[in-house]
């Protein structure tokens, strides 16, 4: 069949063209970074076992700066005041034991700046021995809730630095629902919130050197592979960056990625639902058109 | 003097016929618009283009209902409002984005079909020239559309492309500012490209499509052997019932039935891309909002402009601009640079056969290099391919003049 041969040639050139401008070009443009499967191999394995009971009393030092909501322990100051002291709001620790890698977490407590690979990390070393660190980690593992939503994962790991405006998330919490004055249209509560957020962001930008970008649609702007290796170790993709290595485990990474996907590519479930129907329609359409063509062309050759 | 039957029912066949000559129209435009029988599916590409343009128009109208041509709002009106809040907004956007990319693939297939079979010669010059005008207008339409989401690539591609109008060492900066309406791309820039994209250029395209169809009517389309048909004789044979002997078929319903089948296959491919493989048509860099303070590490145009971009890039500024300018118009000259008397498929035309494949492969190489960073071996290959492009066009009149008459 001559037409099939011609079709084969057109298809082959189209595929070559596609390969050249997409997979090949991207492989040349971006340096390929291999992930470490969240093993954090640069950190030594722990040699001791943690004791959650001992950890509980050691962890009382943490609430000098952090809140632990699951234990109803509030933070000593609100987000804006914390940013004024530290440059950033220390995250709530309820999920730390669940979403952070155990080994990373323990080493982090001994030496936050070095382990996060950020030159200045506002948290001072908060454990005096490997045993203490392991105990604290064991404690946070013991108090973690069973179920975590993707958004909770994001808020814990990234939310203090990165807003997500498509989900109305700001670094100091969700944008509150407020009402404006009917007579003047002025919404004082919203302005109040804006001012607080602005103060926080100014401090955060001073601390980090720049305002961390909003991550609403980062899922479409970077490849999944980039995001995963970047979160695992920001220095691997942006050497010298101020963003810390946060030390997520597999569950933590999964939650964060699920959240980024839900705000960056929300139509995926709808595509998967409708796609097969539309394609099915056109397969039937093409088949009927083929029968029509056959009947019309009868006697022409 | 026209005759109007007083008793004809309004909108009845007779009533319409007296006012619009619908029987004649139908005959001339469809049932007795004769198409050669000896053609393959590549001759359905024109219809595929018309259908894709239809998809672009309809999806564009839906997008237009929510898009905000404002530098502060544009990005989120597309990426949030349309993608999240508007029912099926994501579908219209993906159709529009994939359509804009695929339409160029089909245009290139359509053009190279014309080149292969010599369909730009002997009475068909105006088909070719109106086609080229369509190509240029589609290019402007695609570029202006690319500005609208106001992402990083919109901004920086807009910056780089409008900069070309400074003419290198001519330093026509005033011209560049006049085009932008500002020193750098900003609100004025976005507004005028919005106007071009949704009003002026679509109008021009629709006009040009009518012109293109008009130029086809008298010479008729070519065929696989380039054979010159006596359409009157062949049509008479067909009407006598000698369907098998006749070398022509009526557009409606015979050719149309094949067009519709090809369209069916094409739509399977098209909607597969829309639902499962749309990333290639929407560059990731454009999902970062425009930031005048942060130049992206790689700035490149969409894939269909890469070959001409690579003709600009490997040369020093001034010669590069001249080369780029020539590359934009050289295809217009094809009917006049091809000096051979033959209208025949390339495989029957001696050296032209090699010219055709060399041009196709050279443009693919240019396309590849246009996206890669201009470093080391890539810029050498790009330079060679760009020079080779001009060698080919200089060689064309020479080799076609030598061609023997078939
Ligand atoms: C994008 C809008 C375009 C549309 C809607 C369009 C439509 C068509 C249609 C319906 C036909 C007749 C059927 C066929 O041979 O495919 C045709 C023929 C033709 N078109 Fe186009 N076309 C477009 C662009 C172009 C371009 C960019 C060129 C090249 C510069 C071109 C050159 C030709 C030629 C040479 C023919 C005659 C083919 C022959 O005689 O065998 N067209 N076009």
């Amino acid at each position: 069949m001559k037409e099939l041969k011609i079709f084969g040639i057109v298809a082959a050139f189209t595929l070559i063209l596609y390969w050249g401008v997409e997979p090949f070009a991207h492989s040349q443009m971006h340096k390929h970074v291999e992930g470490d499967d969240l093993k954090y191999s640069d950190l030594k394995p722990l040699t001791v076992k943690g004791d959650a009971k001992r950890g509980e009393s050691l962890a009382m030092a943490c609430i000098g700066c952090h809140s632990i909501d699951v234990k109803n322990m509030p933070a000593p100051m609100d987000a804006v005041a914390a940013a004024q002291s530290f440059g950033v709001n220390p995250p709530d620790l309820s999920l730390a034991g669940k979403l952070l890698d155990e080994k990373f977490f323990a080493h982090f407590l001994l030496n936050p700046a070095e382990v996060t690979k950020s030159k200045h990390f506002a948290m001072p070393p908060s454990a005096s021995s490997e045993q203490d660190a392991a105990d604290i980690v064991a404690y946070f593992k013991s108090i973690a809730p069973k179920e975590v939503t993707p958004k909770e994962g994001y808020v814990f790991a990234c939310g203090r630095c990165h807003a997500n405006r498509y989900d109305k998330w700001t670094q100091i919490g969700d944008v509150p629902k407020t009402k404006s004055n009917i007579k003047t249209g002025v919404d004082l509560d919203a302005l109040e919130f804006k001012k607080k957020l602005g103060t926080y962001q100014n401090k955060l930008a001073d601390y980090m050197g720049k305002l961390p970008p909003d991550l609403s649609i980062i899922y479409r702007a970077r490849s999944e592979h980039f995001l995963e290796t970047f979160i695992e170790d920001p220095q691997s993709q942006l050497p010298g960056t101020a963003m810390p290595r946060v030390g997520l485990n597999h569950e933590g990474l999964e939650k964060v990625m699920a959240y980024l996907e839900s705000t960056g590519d929300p139509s995926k479930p709808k595509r998967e639902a409708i796609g097969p129907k539309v394609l099915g329609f056109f397969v039937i359409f093409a088949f009927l058109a083929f029968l029509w063509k056959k009947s019309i062309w009868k006697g022409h050759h | 003097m026209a005759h109007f039957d007083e008793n004809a029912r309004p909108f009845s066949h007779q009533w319409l016929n007296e006012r619009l000559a619908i029987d004649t129209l139908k005959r001339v435009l469809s049932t007795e618009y004769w198409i050669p029988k000896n053609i393959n599916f590549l001759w359905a590409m024109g219809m595929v283009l018309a259908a894709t343009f239809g998809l672009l128009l309809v999806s564009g109208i839906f997008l237009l209902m929510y898009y905000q041509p404002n530098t502060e709002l544009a990005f989120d009106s597309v990426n949030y409002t349309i993608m999240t809040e508007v029912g099926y907004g994501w579908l219209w956007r993906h159709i529009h984005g994939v359509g804009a990319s695929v339409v160029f693939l089909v245009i290139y297939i359509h053009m190279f079909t014309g080149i292969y079979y010599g369909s730009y010669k002997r009475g068909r010059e105006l088909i070719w020239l109106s086609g080229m005008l369509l190509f240029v207008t589609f290019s402007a339409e695609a570029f202006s559309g690319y500005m609208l989401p106001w992402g990083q690539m919109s901004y920086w591609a807009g910056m780089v492309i409008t900069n070309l109008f400074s003419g290198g060492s001519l330093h026509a900066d005033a011209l560049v500012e006049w085009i932008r309406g500002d020193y750098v791309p900003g609100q004025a820039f976005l507004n005028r490209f919005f106007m071009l994209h949704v009003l002026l250029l679509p109008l021009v395209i629709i006009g040009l499509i009518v012109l293109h169809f008009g130029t086809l009517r008298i010479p008729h389309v070519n065929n696989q052997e380039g054979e010159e048909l006596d359409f009157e004789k062949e049509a008479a044979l067909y009407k006598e019932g000698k369907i098998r002997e006749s070398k022509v078929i009526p557009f409606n319903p015979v050719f149309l039935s094949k067009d519709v089948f090809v369209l069916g296959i094409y739509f399977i491919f098209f909607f597969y891309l829309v639902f499962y493989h749309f990333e290639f048509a929407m560059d990731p860099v454009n999902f970062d909002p425009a930031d005048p303070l942060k130049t992206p590490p790689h700035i490149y145009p969409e894939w269909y402009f890469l070959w001409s971009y690579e003709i600009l890039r490997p040369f020093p500024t001034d010669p590069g601009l001249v080369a780029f300018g020539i590359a934009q118009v050289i295809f217009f000259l094809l009917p006049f640079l091809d000096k051979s008397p033959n209208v025949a498929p390339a495989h029957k035309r001696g050296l032209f056969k090699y010219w055709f494949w060399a041009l196709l492969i050279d443009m693919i190489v240019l396309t590849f290099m246009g996206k890669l960073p201009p470093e080391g071996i890539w810029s050498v290959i790009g330079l060679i391919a760009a020079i080779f492009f001009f060698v080919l066009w200089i060689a064309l009149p020479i080799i076609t003049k030598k061609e023997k008459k078939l």
Side-chain angles (χ1 to χ4, degrees), chain A residues 224-241:
Chain A
E224 216 174 303
H225 181 78
F226 175 94
L227 288 174
E228 287 176 357
T229 48
F230 182 73
I231 294 169
E232 180 172 10
D233 183 2
Q235 305 297 329
S236 69
Q237 307 265 14
L238 282 183
T241 181

Side-chain angles (χ1 to χ4, degrees), chain A residues 50-88:
Chain A
D51 172 359
K53 270 250 135 47
R54 270 198 81 230
E56 179 161 12
S57 49
L58 290 167
M60 288 311 115
C62 315
I63 56 172
C65 302
H66 293 270
S67 62
I68 310 179
D69 283 350
V70 282
K71 289 280 165 197
N72 288 320
M73 295 190 226
M77 42 190 159
D78 71 0
V80 178
Q84 267 149 351
S85 319
F86 305 116
V88 61

Side-chain angles (χ1 to χ4, degrees), chain A residues 2-3 6-7 9-10 13-14 16-22 24-26 28-30 165-166 168 217-218 220-222 265-267 270-272 274-276 278-279 282-283 285-286 289-290 292-293 296-297 299-301, chain B residues 37 39-42 75-76 79-80 83-84 88 90 94 105 109 224 238 243-244 249 253-254 257-258 260-261 264 267-268 271-272 275-278 282 284 287-288 298 300 303 306 357 360 364 367-368 371-373 378:
Chain A
K2 195 166 170 192
E3 298 226 12
I6 298 173
F7 180 76
I9 294 172
V10 173
F13 274 104
T14 305
I16 293 173
L17 191 61
Y18 169 75
W19 172 81
V21 294
E22 280 295 305
F24 179 66
H26 286 290
Q28 296 298 310
M29 275 190 290
H30 312 294
R165 64 185 183 285
Y166 292 180
K168 305 197 165 43
I217 198 166
I218 200 77
R220 296 282 305 256
R222 304 283 184 281
D265 188 16
S267 68
K270 293 180 211 140
R271 286 199 306 270
E272 283 168 356
I274 302 170
V278 174
L279 288 190
F282 281 107
V283 168
F285 176 94
F290 179 70
W292 182 44
K293 188 219 150 205
I296 295 248
W297 280 67
H300 279 74
H301 282 302
Chain B
K37 196 189 276 174
I39 57 181
N40 57 47
F41 77 91
L42 291 172
F75 186 86
D76 284 349
N79 286 311
Y80 181 67
M83 293 300 278
T84 310
Y88 295 100
W90 57 272
H94 283 185
L105 174 67
I109 294 175
Q224 286 199 88
Y238 191 93
I243 291 176
R244 200 183 302 272
I249 48 174
V254 182
S257 69
K258 185 165 176 176
V260 170
F261 170 59
F267 282 140
I268 297 176
F271 283 98
Y272 161 74
F275 284 100
Y276 301 105
H277 210 101
F278 47 85
M282 306 166 112
F287 285 93
D288 279 328
H298 307 285
Y300 45 81
W303 70 268
L306 288 170
W357 293 109
L360 177 60
I364 291 181
T367 301
F368 284 14
K371 191 153 182 180
L372 294 171
W378 306 134

Side-chain angles (χ1 to χ4, degrees), chain B residues 239-363:
Chain B
K239 284 201 266 185
E240 277 166 33
K242 297 198 175 127
I243 291 176
R244 200 183 302 272
E245 291 76 25
S246 173
K247 288 181 173 174
V248 298
I249 48 174
F251 171 74
N252 183 6
V254 182
F255 187 62
L256 189 63
S257 69
K258 185 165 176 176
D259 267 351
V260 170
F261 170 59
V262 174
L263 276 176
I265 301 288
Y266 168 73
F267 282 140
I268 297 176
F269 167 70
F270 185 86
F271 283 98
Y272 161 74
L273 296 177
V274 165
F275 284 100
Y276 301 105
H277 210 101
F278 47 85
E279 310 86 358
F280 79 97
M282 306 166 112
D283 199 281
V285 181
N286 224 20
F287 285 93
D288 279 328
D291 182 351
L293 299 176
K294 188 173 162 197
T295 320
H298 307 285
I299 302 177
Y300 45 81
E302 286 289 273
W303 70 268
Y304 35 85
F305 296 138
L306 288 170
W307 67 269
S308 54
Y309 187 56
E310 187 60 17
I311 285 176
L312 170 79
R313 228 172 33 161
F315 301 107
T317 316
D318 287 345
L321 277 171
V322 173
F324 181 71
I326 294 174
Q328 300 310 305
V329 296
I330 195 82
F331 278 89
F332 277 98
L333 301 183
L334 179 61
F336 313 105
L337 292 177
D338 181 342
K339 303 280 185 199
S340 141
N342 299 319
V343 175
H347 64 262
K348 292 201 174 150
R349 289 183 53 191
L351 285 176
F352 184 80
K353 169 172 148 192
Y354 300 101
W355 188 88
F356 173 86
W357 293 109
L359 179 70
L360 177 60
I361 292 170
D362 190 54
M363 284 176 68

